[in-house]
Amino acid sequence: MSLVTVTINDKKLQVEEGTSILEAAKSANIYIPTLCHMNLHGGVEHNPGSCRVCVVEIEGRKNLAPSCNTMVAEGMVINTNSIRAITSRRTVVELLLSDHPQDCLLCEKNMHCELQALAADMGIREMKYKGEMSTFPKDFSSASIERNLDKCILCRRCVTACGKIQTVSVLSAVNRGFHTIISPAFGLPMVDTNCTFCGQCVSVCPTGALTQVNNTTKVWEALNHKDKFVIVQTAPAVRAALGECFGDTSGKAVTGKMVAALRAMGFDKVFDTDFAADLTIMEEAAELIDRMNNGGRLPMLTSCCPAWINYFEHEFKDMLDVPSSCKSPQQMFGAIAKNYYAKKMNLNPENMVVVSVMPCLAKKYEASREEMKNDVDIVISTRELAKMIKEAGISFHSLPNEEFDSFLGESTGASVLFGVTGGVMEAALRTAYEWITGEGLENVEFSMIRGLDGIREATVQIKDREVKAAIANGLGNARILLNKIRNGEADYQIIEIMACPGGCINGGGQPYLRGDYEVLKRRAGALYEEDQNKPIRKSHENPAIIKLYEEFLDKPNSEIAHHLLHTQYFYKEIS
Ligand code: FES
């Protein structure tokens, strides 16, 4: 590709032909504000050029140009900060605000809203344009995601995330002109669509138009109820990102401080979903070996991710017997807490409240599913936990590092990996290898299946057996693998699928990335480090899990294990 020479703010630079003015300016450390533009995961550029917040002045051109979708040309002279460009950008934001509810203080996205940040950066102090406000019915139909179209600025980032990356395509622009809205077809509430509740639309929405359902008040009520025994479990990806909400740089696990904060908030016991992840591996590895030895349906797909479960329940009705029947670690934890822990500790399960802290918004929906709604009572996201810690006035950085409570807090390195794409597979292979061969696995790290590529494949030699494995993250990538299976083109034995690109570290309830996907590598690194530092790194060696089988479950896939830890899937017709 040839280079062109341009001048931006009196700075001469050479950039590749085909580069946008925005990217060229960025390469010279010149900041131009944007709103509708965003780099989405996997190199997908969302560039509708619709908001005009990024306009710049180009010498010799009559009109200002949107820098995000105007390409550089040889000899171009650009001024990003001419008074005309600055005034125009400010006017765009003022016009957006003129049709935006003025309730920033009450908004779920307060302090995280890109429109609010732009208005602050531009020094907007008064509402210049006043007129009739658009109002739309709000959609509070789901347990996971809320839609408030009054706050939508029509950037369509959610449309691209839902349609191009996840290939679910629930959200699209309907109507024309002033009547355009972003909506499911026929204005259906989210709960009546094929929405998977992955929350990737919430992750990219710049304003409060798409937000998580906030359950923090429910948790405070439970904690303040004198007759309730309130326990909490935290998923592995939460510890890898929570620190970011308190100003830490990404890539630092804050496990010990998180535990201390939860204890300070008043939870009776602070437990770890990782315990249940180890349990999941026991059940899932046993199921895989059984299917491989007894002619069962292969490949077996992992079933930890509820958004992925929603996806195939809607779109792959001919394959409902392919996923493992194991419940997710969140649900297994709830079932064990209320049926085993309660008995052991002499607690009445009716008086127990099981709270989950998850990186995921679909987990809220999962906990409300009819067939397992008694397992977990309240689900909050990483962002909600951060809010609660702040609300409680806890000085996060001053907290000591504390340990999870025994014994539902005991876990191995394998279970920590559940937070990153490929981690469930790696944990399952560590156990399957030793169970199949009867030999100790020396190098527990399956580096060939690590990484953040959307689809990864590997053949793992387990003695004289070759196990073909595949991993997909992001539902668009999952669709590619599922179609291969459907068309008889895949000879894998096991497939791991996570709905969110990168896995749970990029769940819809995690701190916002704002297009910086390098953060995911650092979050993944934090989990790999935690795995390395654990004294036990294979799920089947977790002493608390061994005891659980001895005292209660007997063996993996026993009758009681099936009753408590496994589930069924149902075809859901798309409206
Ligand atoms: Fe360029 Fe919206 S950011 S037009």
Side-chain angles (χ1 to χ4, degrees):
M1 193 164 283
S2 56
L3 295 176
V4 294
T5 304
V6 293
T7 307
I8 307 181
N9 298 356
D10 296 328
K11 211 172 183 173
K12 231 184 195 118
L13 57 142
Q14 285 201 315
V15 288
E16 279 184 3
E17 198 180 6
T19 308
S20 69
I21 295 175
L22 182 71
E23 286 303 318
K26 205 164 149 197
S27 72
N29 289 324
I30 296 169
Y31 165 76
I32 302 171
T34 54
L35 191 53
C36 66
H37 172 272
M38 191 181 199
N39 289 321
L40 296 172
H41 195 267
V44 175
E45 199 180 4
H46 174 71
N47 208 2
S50 57
C51 75
R52 287 331 204 226
V53 161
C54 66
V55 288
V56 294
E57 190 145 18
I58 302 173
E59 215 171 85
R61 287 208 194 173
K62 209 165 125 205
N63 295 332
L64 296 173
S67 61
C68 67
N69 72 354
T70 305
M71 302 306 134
V72 289
E74 180 59 39
M76 215 179 224
V77 178
I78 301 149
N79 188 348
T80 69
N81 287 328
S82 72
I83 187 67
R84 219 176 128 220
I86 284 178
T87 312
S88 173
R89 295 204 285 256
R90 199 180 286 157
T91 305
V92 167
V93 172
E94 283 167 344
L95 284 168
L96 283 169
L97 290 173
S98 74
D99 193 20
H100 199 85
Q102 310 302 317
D103 65 350
C104 297
L105 285 180
L106 312 176
C107 181
E108 177 70 23
K109 276 271 179 75
N110 186 23
M111 313 288 281
H112 298 285
C113 170
E114 293 177 42
L115 181 61
Q116 185 187 43
L118 278 176
D121 286 352
M122 291 177 178
I124 295 171
R125 290 283 168 269
E126 57 169 336
M127 298 305 297
K128 244 194 193 158
Y129 307 101
K130 292 189 180 115
E132 211 178 310
M133 295 263 195
S134 315
T135 52
F136 302 94
K138 298 175 184 42
D139 180 357
F140 298 153
S141 62
S142 91
S144 299
I145 296 171
E146 292 182 353
R147 283 171 64 236
N148 182 349
L149 289 185
D150 296 356
K151 298 183 179 181
C152 177
I153 56 161
L154 298 174
C155 69
R156 293 169 168 79
R157 288 182 189 177
C158 56
V159 177
T160 304
C162 186
K164 263 200 184 165
I165 294 182
Q166 301 296 61
T167 64
V168 178
S169 302
V170 166
L171 296 169
S172 61
V174 296
N175 305 330
R176 291 279 160 91
F178 281 123
H179 304 290
T180 307
I181 56 165
I182 307 299
S183 168
F186 312 114
L188 284 172
M190 296 284 262
V191 81
D192 291 336
T193 69
N194 55 325
C195 176
T196 67
F197 305 116
C198 70
Q200 287 299 306
C201 57
V202 174
S203 296
V204 298
C205 177
T207 68
L210 288 159
T211 54
Q212 66 195 348
V213 171
N214 186 323
N215 288 334
T216 55
T217 305
K218 284 187 191 166
V219 178
W220 284 128
E221 280 168 1
L223 288 172
N224 282 277
H225 196 301
K226 63 177 178 38
D227 298 327
K228 297 288 181 195
F229 190 82
V230 189
I231 65 173
V232 63
Q233 57 166 323
T234 63
V238 175
R239 70 205 65 186
L242 182 66
E244 293 166 33
C245 302
F246 296 92
D248 286 355
T249 49
S250 53
K252 195 173 138 203
V254 290
T255 318
K257 289 191 188 306
M258 175 185 73
V259 171
L262 289 162
R263 213 164 265 139
M265 283 163 63
F267 284 99
D268 293 299
K269 292 287 173 189
V270 181
F271 292 134
D272 198 352
T273 312
D274 291 13
F275 167 86
D278 281 332
L279 183 57
T280 304
I281 290 302
M282 298 292 283
E283 293 295 317
E284 214 162 71
E287 191 181 348
L288 174 67
I289 293 169
D290 181 55
R291 287 200 200 187
M292 282 166 62
N293 290 343
N294 300 313
R297 179 114 194 225
L298 291 171
M300 187 179 86
L301 302 178
T302 57
S303 54
C304 304
C305 168
W308 141 239
I309 298 291
N310 283 339
Y311 185 62
F312 78 73
E313 284 187 324
H314 278 113
E315 304 202 29
F316 292 85
K317 70 170 173 180
D318 51 324
M319 292 166 61
L320 292 182
D321 59 338
V322 177
S324 157
S325 60
C326 288
K327 287 181 182 175
S328 72
Q330 161 174 275
Q331 299 303 128
M332 282 197 187
F333 178 93
I336 291 299
K338 289 188 178 171
N339 291 283
Y340 171 64
Y341 182 80
K343 212 181 264 172
K344 231 174 134 68
M345 307 310 284
N346 231 346
L347 293 164
N348 179 355
E350 305 269 300
N351 292 335
M352 281 176 83
V353 180
V354 177
V355 176
S356 301
V357 187
M358 293 285 140
C360 168
L361 299 189
K363 289 281 173 197
K364 293 171 185 271
Y365 161 81
E366 180 186 50
S368 72
R369 283 181 69 122
E370 196 52 42
E371 65 276 13
M372 45 192 175
K373 68 174 185 203
N374 294 326
D375 295 342
V376 171
D377 300 292
I378 311 170
V379 183
I380 58 170
S381 67
T382 310
R383 293 193 298 267
E384 285 167 276
L385 173 60
K387 278 184 188 171
M388 292 185 77
I389 294 171
K390 289 175 187 174
E391 194 177 1
I394 294 167
S395 169
F396 191 73
H397 289 118
S398 318
L399 291 167
N401 286 324
E402 291 184 7
E403 298 285 334
F404 287 107
D405 284 305
S406 178
F407 51 89
L408 299 185
E410 286 170 39
S411 66
T412 69
S415 62
V416 179
L417 300 181
F418 272 56
V420 59
T421 166
V424 179
M425 174 80 78
E426 186 165 341
L429 287 173
R430 289 179 189 181
T431 291
Y433 182 95
E434 294 205 350
W435 281 359
I436 290 172
T437 62
E439 292 170 7
L441 178 64
E442 271 178 31
N443 180 9
V444 297
E445 292 180 12
F446 289 79
S447 49
M448 70 287 237
I449 55 172
R450 293 187 177 183
L452 295 176
D453 289 348
I455 296 179
R456 308 190 298 286
E457 297 173 347
T459 302
V460 180
Q461 196 69 36
I462 299 187
K463 229 172 180 179
D464 51 355
R465 238 185 237 205
E466 280 191 343
V467 175
K468 289 198 172 169
I471 294 156
N473 60 102
L475 291 173
N477 294 319
R479 186 183 294 279
I480 295 170
L481 279 187
L482 291 169
N483 282 335
K484 270 187 163 182
I485 300 170
R486 190 179 252 171
N487 300 333
E489 295 162 8
D491 58 349
Y492 311 113
Q493 273 92 44
I494 180 162
I495 296 182
E496 181 208 287
I497 294 182
M498 292 288 161
C500 293
C504 307
I505 47 173
N506 186 28
Q510 292 282 69
Y512 299 109
L513 292 176
R514 292 209 173 172
D516 183 2
Y517 296 100
E518 288 298 303
V519 169
L520 295 183
K521 289 187 192 154
R522 295 192 283 273
R523 288 181 186 168
L527 294 181
Y528 287 128
E529 197 182 318
E530 189 148 314
D531 164 39
Q532 268 176 1
N533 293 336
K534 285 270 192 178
I536 302 174
R537 298 178 71 188
K538 299 167 204 156
S539 296
H540 57 285
E541 292 179 356
N542 180 335
I545 294 287
I546 294 169
K547 201 165 176 200
L548 171 68
Y549 279 100
E550 279 169 5
E551 287 185 354
F552 186 60
L553 292 174
D554 185 20
K555 57 180 194 250
N557 283 333
S558 66
E559 206 180 315
I560 182 154
H562 242 275
H563 172 62
L564 290 176
L565 309 178
H566 290 249
T567 187
Q568 293 171 38
Y569 309 114
F570 305 94
Y571 172 52
K572 294 175 184 160
E573 207 162 349
I574 300 172
S575 307

